[in-house]
Amino acid sequence: MLLSVEDLHVSVEGKELLKGINLRMEYGEIVAIMGHNASGKTTLALTLAGFPQYQVSRGKILFEGEDVTSKSIDERARMGMALAFQSPPVIRGIKLGHMISLSAGMNPWQPKPGDDPDLPRKILSKVNLEPGKYLNREVNVGFSGGERKRSELAQIFAMRPKLMILDEPDSGVDIDSLKVLGNSLHEYFNKEKCSIMIITHHRHILQYLKPSRMHILSGGKIAITGSYEELMPKIEELGYEQLIKEAAKA
């Protein structure tokens, strides 16, 4: 078992946002987290990544069998957990090529024997960002929404994580960028066999990844769990609210 979340309750500034989440992920599995706005999706992602303002009041998070509930962001990252933000931040003063090297554990200013100096170029090409144009640009400065998402995906690919947590990678991107993101993730998953937790509102990105399971959140709890083939058509036909009401009646 790669990830196990047990009876997870999370509060921010005294307000409980997650109210007993239970879920598991196997090695090499893709799981989708869906739900309406303010249902707890991003809270779950940031809690799993270790952001300190998200206080776990009850329950625990196990990663490869180890309790990481109290571990810091960087400790979890070193263990193999990576988070892609819904809105990737602008970072002035550092070049994207250097950031990719750092994400891969390499010092771009003092490389060690065995380091691959061409790694940033190779990874930028995988996400369809031309190395000659992007290597020396400051991270996300002046980037479009789609370029930001691809830039962050390049950094995560460099980390080679065991678990990628992607918070709405399809928001704010055009059709061309969506296709690049979807194909890049599909290719990376098939090669590396990492696990992916993908948070989204729509099927757009999921058509490239085909999750094995989907969890629909509502009110800080998992309201429905099922397969992609079973739930996606119902979500599009009924919407979250009506689907959850019908599931509750059943």
Side-chain angles (χ1 to χ4, degrees):
M1 185 71 58
L2 178 65
L3 177 71
S4 179
V5 179
E6 302 176 4
D7 192 29
L8 188 66
H9 291 249
V10 175
S11 298
V12 176
E13 296 181 350
K15 181 179 180 180
E16 189 173 51
L17 301 179
L18 297 184
K19 304 172 182 179
I21 298 289
N22 291 280
L23 64 84
R24 294 186 173 191
M25 288 187 67
E26 301 286 352
Y27 290 91
E29 184 178 22
I30 300 175
V31 169
I33 307 292
M34 303 189 74
H36 52 73
N37 289 331
S39 60
K41 303 185 302 298
T42 294
T43 297
L44 175 61
L46 295 175
T47 301
L48 292 176
F51 280 69
Q53 61 267 45
Y54 293 83
Q55 295 292 312
V56 176
S57 55
R58 196 165 85 201
K60 58 185 176 180
I61 303 165
L62 302 176
F63 189 69
E64 294 195 297
E66 183 175 348
D67 190 342
V68 299
T69 313
S70 300
K71 290 189 180 296
S72 64
I73 295 173
D74 60 302
E75 288 176 308
R76 298 184 201 199
R78 285 195 292 269
M79 292 176 70
M81 300 174 72
L83 170 69
F85 291 93
Q86 184 176 338
S87 300
V90 169
I91 305 175
R92 297 186 180 276
I94 184 167
K95 297 177 181 179
L96 178 55
H98 290 167
M99 179 64 85
I100 291 171
S101 293
L102 291 167
S103 298
M106 300 187 302
N107 185 331
W109 304 282
Q110 294 180 325
K112 302 186 301 293
D115 286 349
D116 182 1
D118 289 329
L119 180 67
R121 289 182 174 274
K122 295 174 183 175
I123 290 182
L124 284 175
S125 296
K126 287 182 179 180
V127 297
N128 204 28
L129 291 178
E130 188 179 331
K133 291 184 178 180
Y134 291 91
L135 270 176
N136 293 315
R137 288 183 64 176
E138 293 175 299
V139 178
N140 296 335
V141 175
F143 285 23
S144 68
E147 288 170 336
R148 285 192 186 198
K149 294 294 179 79
R150 284 184 268 165
S151 160
E152 184 162 54
L153 200 58
Q155 295 165 50
I156 287 180
F157 285 173
M159 291 174 65
R160 299 188 66 188
K162 298 172 183 176
L163 171 63
M164 284 195 285
I165 304 168
L166 309 176
D167 190 4
E168 297 195 29
D170 48 357
S171 68
V173 301
D174 59 26
I175 292 175
D176 290 334
S177 287
L178 177 67
K179 185 176 181 180
V180 171
L181 289 166
N183 286 330
S184 296
L185 282 166
H186 179 75
E187 181 182 343
Y188 184 87
F189 174 77
N190 286 336
K191 181 180 179 181
E192 300 293 339
K193 301 301 180 185
C194 70
S195 295
I196 300 175
M197 177 184 289
I198 185 163
I199 295 168
T200 183
H201 286 290
H202 312 289
R203 85 156 60 230
H204 307 316
I205 193 73
L206 298 182
Q207 64 187 336
Y208 295 95
L209 295 172
K210 297 296 192 304
S212 58
R213 282 181 296 131
M214 294 174 59
H215 300 292
I216 299 177
L217 267 61
S218 179
K221 298 180 180 180
I222 294 177
I224 305 173
T225 295
S227 69
Y228 171 76
E229 293 77 12
E230 170 195 5
L231 289 181
M232 198 69 243
K234 293 181 179 179
I235 292 170
E236 294 182 327
E237 177 187 357
L238 302 173
Y240 294 118
E241 187 174 347
Q242 187 62 34
L243 178 59
I244 291 168
K245 285 180 179 178
E246 293 195 3
K249 289 178 183 178

